Amino acid sequence: MAFFTNLSTLYLLALLLPLFLAASTSPNDVLSSTLEVTRTASSSSDNNKHGKTDNNNTATTNVEPKRQRRRNRRCKCLKRFTKEVSQMIDERLEDFENKYLLHLNRDKEQSLAMQNEASSTTSRIQSIDKLLLRLNTDVVQTKEALSMMNSNLDVLRYELNHTRGDVRQLNVSFKELDVAVANLTHFVSRVEKMIPQGLTSPGPGGAVVSDPPKENYPRNCDEVFKQGGMQFQGDYYIMIKPDGVAHPFKVLCKIYNNSGWTVIQKRQDGSVDFFRTWEEYRTGFGSLEGEFWLGNNYIYHLSVQEPTMLRIEMTDWEGRTYYGEYDSFRIDNEKGLYRLHIGNYNGDAGDSLRSHWENHDGMPFSTKDRDNDGRYYDSCAEHFHGAWWFNNCFDSHLNGKYYHKGFHKNYFQRDGIQWNTIHMYSSLKSVHMMIKPAEAPVESEDDQKAMAAGKKDRSRSKGKGKGRGASKKDRKRM
C-alpha cells in the first residue's frame, strides 16, 4: 500500500513540476520535462503492476522466471529517480526563490528608498516654502521701507523747492539792494559833480582842508592781478569800472596762467533760470557766488576798451574737463545787437563757435523776445529755451537749460548746455566763460573801428555828464 502511495505522490509531483518550472524555463522545456516524467512514472507503474501479478503467481505457483526477475530489478531504480526528481525540484524551487523572492526584496528595497527620497524631497519643499515665506516677508518690509524713503524724499524735495524759493527771493532782494546802492552811488556822483572844483571846507581848529581825491577803480581783473591784489588761487569779488561805464560794478575774478580773468558767465547747478528777456541779458542776472550772466552791456565795455581774449572751461558729467581759447573777442553795443566777433581758436574742446555747419562768428545776440538768429521759420532762443549768438541754430549754446546727469527730456531737441564738439546729445555739467586783455593783440580793421567807436561813446558820455542840457535818454544811459 505504501508503494502505491509513493507512486501517486510521484505522479502528483510530476504533474505539479511544470508549474514550478514555468517561470525559469521555456514552454517547450516544460512540456518535454513533463512528458519525460510522465513517461517514466507510467513505465514504473506498469512494472509495479506486472510485479504484483508475478508475486501473486509466485505465491501460488512459487515459480519465478528470469523475465519476472528482470522486471523486479528495474523497479530498484525508483528510489534513485525519486531522489533525482526531489533534487531537481529543490533546485527549481531554489531558482524560483532566487528569481522571484529576491526580486520582491529588491522591489521592497526600491520602494523604501523611493519613500525615503520622497520624504526627503517633502522636507526640502517644506524648507523652501519657509524660505519663500521669509523672503516674501522681507520683500514686504523692503517695500514699506522704500515707500517710507519715498515719502521722506518727497518731504525733502518740498523743502528743497521751498529753500530754492527763499534763495530766489534773497537773490531778488540782493538785486534790489544792488540797484539801490547803484542809485545812491549815481546820486553821490551827481552831487560831487555839482560841487565846484577846489572847494575847501574848514577842518578842526579852523584849518582849511581840501576834498580827498576821487577813488580810482581797476578796469578789469587783470589790472588787479598785475598790481599784486590777487596772489593766491581762488575766487575774488572785486569792484571794477571799465572805460565808458558810469559806475563801478562787482565782478568775479579768477587766476589762471599767470593772469587775472574776469568771469562773464558761470553755470554749475541749475539754480538760475537762463531763459530770460533781452533786458535781463543786457543788465545781467544771477549771483556771483552761484550762477550768473554778467550783462551784455558790461561785456561790451570790457571787450572794446582794449584787445580782449576769451577762455571757456567746461566739465561733463563723467568728470572730464575741456577748454577753448580765442585770441580775440568782442561784441558790438546794443545798437549793433551785441554781435559776436571772435578770433583764432586753441584748446581741446573743439571749435564749436566757428564750425563749418553753424558759424556763430558775426551773429547778433538773440533772446526769447528778440529774434535775431539766421533761421527764418521760428526762433532758436524760444525753441531751445535760452539765449545765444544763434545762427541756424547752433553748434554751441551755453545758456540752455540745466539738465542733471546731462539727459535731455527730448532726445532730438537738445535744449541743454551744448558744445557739440564735446557731445551733441548730452548737456554739460559746468561752464565758465571769462575774458582778459589779449597777450599779443593783432588788431584787425574791425577791431580798430570798434575801439574807436568805444572811445567816441566814452567821450560822449563824459561830455554829457558835465553839462546840464543832457537829454533824459542820455541821463538814463549815465
Side-chain angles (χ1 to χ4, degrees), residues 2-271:
F3 176 76
F4 289 107
T5 302
N6 291 331
L7 288 178
S8 61
T9 302
L10 183 61
Y11 185 74
L12 181 60
L13 290 174
L15 294 177
L16 294 176
L17 182 61
L19 297 176
F20 292 103
L21 302 176
S24 60
T25 57
S26 62
N28 294 327
D29 295 336
V30 173
L31 180 59
S32 60
S33 300
T34 306
L35 291 176
E36 182 179 357
V37 173
T38 305
R39 191 180 299 113
T40 306
S42 298
S43 61
S44 299
S45 178
D46 291 338
N47 291 331
N48 291 332
K49 288 180 182 180
H50 289 295
K52 183 177 181 181
T53 304
D54 292 337
N55 289 331
N56 292 330
N57 292 329
T58 305
T60 55
T61 58
N62 293 323
V63 179
E64 188 174 3
K66 286 183 178 182
R67 186 175 182 182
Q68 191 65 29
R69 287 197 299 270
R70 292 176 180 172
R71 288 180 179 177
N72 291 334
R73 282 199 302 270
R74 289 178 183 173
C75 292
K76 292 180 180 178
C77 65
L78 181 60
K79 293 182 179 180
R80 185 174 59 190
F81 175 74
T82 304
K83 185 177 180 180
E84 292 177 355
V85 170
S86 177
Q87 292 178 354
M88 186 182 299
I89 291 172
D90 292 337
E91 292 175 356
R92 298 298 182 183
L93 288 175
E94 186 177 358
D95 292 338
F96 177 79
E97 182 180 358
N98 291 332
K99 289 185 178 180
Y100 287 93
L101 295 181
L102 289 177
H103 284 299
L104 289 175
N105 292 331
R106 291 175 183 173
D107 293 339
K108 288 182 180 180
E109 292 176 355
Q110 291 179 356
S111 64
L112 289 174
M114 292 177 65
Q115 289 179 358
N116 294 331
E117 186 176 358
S119 62
S120 63
T121 304
T122 304
S123 62
R124 290 178 183 175
I125 292 173
Q126 290 176 355
S127 63
I128 291 172
D129 290 337
K130 291 180 180 178
L131 291 175
L132 289 176
L133 182 60
R134 186 181 301 172
L135 181 62
N136 190 16
T137 304
D138 294 339
V139 169
V140 172
Q141 294 177 355
T142 304
K143 286 183 178 179
E144 293 177 354
L146 287 175
S147 63
M148 187 177 297
M149 291 175 64
N150 192 13
S151 62
N152 293 332
L153 286 175
D154 292 336
V155 173
L156 290 174
R157 191 179 294 111
Y158 172 77
E159 293 178 354
L160 181 60
N161 292 330
H162 187 68
T163 305
R164 285 181 177 176
D166 294 339
V167 171
R168 291 193 184 98
Q169 187 63 33
L170 287 174
N171 289 332
V172 172
S173 301
F174 283 134
K175 190 172 183 180
E176 292 176 353
L177 184 61
D178 290 338
V179 172
V181 171
N183 292 332
L184 287 175
T185 305
H186 179 63
F187 177 75
V188 171
S189 64
R190 288 181 62 187
V191 171
E192 288 177 351
K193 291 176 182 178
M194 292 173 64
I195 298 175
Q197 296 291 331
L199 182 66
T200 60
S201 59
V208 177
V209 180
S210 300
D211 290 336
K214 297 179 66 176
E215 184 177 1
N216 293 324
Y217 292 95
R219 298 191 306 164
N220 50 49
C221 295
D222 193 52
E223 283 190 0
V224 179
F225 176 79
K226 289 179 179 178
Q227 292 173 4
M230 299 166 57
Q231 299 181 0
F232 305 99
Q233 295 291 335
D235 295 344
Y236 293 84
Y237 302 94
I238 301 174
M239 298 292 292
I240 65 171
K241 187 176 178 296
D243 295 341
V245 178
H247 308 289
F249 56 93
K250 186 184 293 186
V251 295
L252 171 62
C253 301
K254 285 183 174 292
I255 300 175
Y256 178 78
N257 198 16
N258 201 28
S259 299
W261 295 79
T262 304
V263 181
I264 63 174
Q265 186 247 36
K266 185 169 74 168
R267 307 294 302 274
Q268 63 182 13
D269 54 13
S271 59

